Amino acid sequence: MSLFNLRLSEVHDRLHHRDLSVRELVQASVARISETDAKIGAFLTLNEEGALAQAKAMDASGAAERGLLYGLPAGIKDNIVTEGLRTTCASQFLSNYDPIYDATVVEKLKAAQSVTMGKLNMDEFAMGGSNENSSFQLTRNPWDTERVPGGSSGGSAASVAAGQVYFSLGSDTGGSIRQPAAYCGIVGLKPTYGLVSRYGLVAFASSLDQIGPLTKNVEDSAYVLQAIAGHDKRDTTSANVEIPDYTAALTGDIKGLRIGVAKEYLGEGIDPQVKARVMEALKTFEALGAEWEEVSLPHTDYAIATYYLLASSEASSNLARFDGVRYGVRAEDPANLLDLYKKSRSEGFGPEVKRRIMLGTYALSSGYYDAYYKKAQQVRTLIKHDFDQAFERFDLIVGPTAPTTAFRIGEQVGDPLTMYLNDICTIPVSLAGVPAISVPCGLADGLPVGLQIIGKPFDESTVLRAAHAFEGMTEFHKLRPAL
């Protein structure tokens, strides 16, 4: 574990000075996965042979030009396509799918010379907040293996928390990077919508999905974001904006920074210990010279309903391509074409995916479109307007990432409405399309609590600067689960 407790920059220095080989790093990752994954269940597909071969080639080449993430073992969420490496979205429907191309973010990681250790477990098609909806296996929280790691990027968070990889990529639709990062005591960054290409990400809700890094600390998050951000002409929603040097923002100086504390994120339903950790974090910001005061985001109460109508509607449209004809699993001996569709989808999709497809199809149907989908889009505009108004006064908005710490496995899986409420603090951010990071801010009953720092569109630099300054004044990011 000692190697995996180092910051990326420290590992980079050791590699540069030949004090460490890529093969040693990859072997350490393989050993740690072998030692812990029977307890955690983070990996769906392990790329051990390919990773070791890549490490051997990199060590032999002695390349002078080394990317930002040179030689670093990484994990990829299983809804991000990887050429020749099985990509299942944790669904029986794609249990035999071997992509013939790489997602843009995977291309960028290869250009930065990181090493892909394998594909990580998730809620099926990214639909869930606990990782209990995977159709293959259960992923457990390294802090307490009787608790969930969060979702849908639970495998991505658990693998980093368990020290199996240096960093991982996840996807965030309504909180699926930030919430598992909070539950697992690591750093999770959801970039501004459009900053990171979605090309090669299997779509759940196209107007919300965004790829981002999960890391052990904020500096590492800046390194990974630097590597994966940027315009992509293959993604029509990709923003053509200038990419700054994110690591240059990590100065530790936040004097005069104006922070708004969303009162709706600290009200009813928030665990008292979680609230206490957030209030303690605000004292740390005060000590660093920042100023804070309460702010209202009045349409927060409508965010859950708005999100599930919009996300489910988009899922209904996106998942229509899974019909048993072009790729994925096909039902045997259908009576006709309609029977092929019905049987393939009945056998291939799990209960949560079916629930959301039905909800979305209903919301888009004739006679209900205006009452549900259109109305939800209008409310989404109001939610975004709340953030726009708040950012006229404040540089950042701060609150808890999740209302509680990680809950026990099986505790909420039979109650979808309770499960959905776990995303009350993250969903409004996704609807507004703004960036946010979750950083560890303490423990509650021995379990990690996440602090969410929300920024203006494309102002990841300020988000990272504040998170890094907070991290520099605390030791929470150094805490590790006792596996």
Side-chain angles (χ1 to χ4, degrees), residues 19-211:
D19 296 329
L20 188 65
S21 69
V22 178
R23 185 174 180 82
E24 286 175 310
L25 279 179
V26 171
Q27 286 176 328
S29 177
V30 170
R32 184 64 178 169
I33 293 168
S34 177
E35 177 190 353
T36 60
D37 211 47
K39 304 173 189 172
I40 301 303
F43 278 86
L44 288 177
T45 303
L46 189 60
N47 186 37
E48 180 178 348
E49 186 177 326
L52 288 168
Q54 184 182 348
K56 182 179 179 181
M58 291 172 73
D59 285 333
S61 71
E65 288 295 322
R66 299 187 172 189
L68 285 167
L69 310 176
Y70 179 86
L72 295 174
I76 310 293
K77 187 176 179 179
D78 207 31
N79 61 345
I80 300 172
V81 301
T82 43
E83 183 179 3
L85 191 59
R86 184 150 293 180
T87 301
T88 69
C89 291
S91 176
Q92 294 296 333
F93 217 120
L94 290 176
S95 58
N96 62 355
Y97 180 54
D98 297 315
I100 58 172
Y101 71 101
D102 280 325
T104 296
V105 289
V106 176
E107 291 178 351
K108 285 176 175 283
L109 289 185
K110 285 183 176 179
Q113 300 170 289
S114 71
V115 180
T116 298
M117 297 306 301
K119 305 303 287 293
L120 297 162
N121 197 24
M122 55 184 282
D123 285 303
E124 184 181 4
F125 283 102
M127 298 182 193
S130 67
N131 229 126
E132 294 171 283
N133 293 327
S134 170
S135 66
F136 296 115
Q137 65 193 41
L138 187 67
T139 298
R140 297 174 180 273
N141 192 319
W143 286 82
D144 179 351
T145 54
E146 295 304 310
R147 295 179 184 269
V148 302
S152 61
S153 305
S156 297
S159 65
V160 173
Q164 297 175 336
V165 292
Y166 271 92
F167 69 90
S168 67
L169 292 187
S171 67
D172 192 307
T173 307
S176 290
I177 288 174
R178 292 160 286 158
Q179 183 244 39
Y183 283 1
C184 291
I186 61 169
V187 175
L189 173 64
K190 183 201 86 71
T192 306
Y193 181 80
L195 183 70
V196 177
S197 172
R198 292 186 302 110
Y199 179 76
L201 173 68
V202 179
F204 162 21
S206 303
S207 74
L208 294 157
D209 298 339
Q210 187 64 169
I211 296 170

Side-chain angles (χ1 to χ4, degrees), residues 258-267 275 279 282 291-297 390 393-394 396-398:
R258 297 166 300 161
I259 296 173
V261 180
K263 68 177 184 179
E264 288 81 6
Y265 295 0
L266 291 171
K275 183 176 180 178
M279 299 310 294
L282 290 172
E291 305 166 0
W292 69 269
E293 64 179 274
E294 194 175 77
V295 64
S296 178
L297 302 171
R393 296 173 52 206
F394 300 104
L396 298 168
I397 297 170
V398 164

Side-chain angles (χ1 to χ4, degrees), residues 309 362-363 365 367-379:
L309 279 168
Y362 180 81
S365 62
Y368 297 99
Y369 177 91
D370 286 350
Y372 294 109
Y373 182 77
K374 182 180 177 182
K375 182 63 69 175
Q377 288 286 24
Q378 291 170 333
V379 177

Side-chain angles (χ1 to χ4, degrees), residues 221-300:
S221 189
Y223 269 92
V224 180
L225 183 63
Q226 196 74 55
I228 65 174
H231 181 247
D232 180 11
K233 63 183 180 182
R234 295 174 295 186
D235 175 6
T236 57
T237 61
S238 177
N240 193 0
V241 296
E242 185 178 344
I243 305 300
D245 181 352
Y246 294 117
T247 58
L250 309 182
T251 62
D253 181 14
I254 60 168
K255 286 185 176 66
L257 204 68
R258 297 166 300 161
I259 296 173
V261 180
K263 68 177 184 179
E264 288 81 6
Y265 295 0
L266 291 171
E268 187 179 353
I270 306 300
D271 182 276
Q273 290 193 67
V274 170
K275 183 176 180 178
R277 298 297 89 77
V278 172
M279 299 310 294
E280 290 162 8
L282 290 172
K283 292 179 181 177
T284 301
F285 282 119
E286 281 182 352
L288 287 162
E291 305 166 0
W292 69 269
E293 64 179 274
E294 194 175 77
V295 64
S296 178
L297 302 171
H299 293 94
T300 297

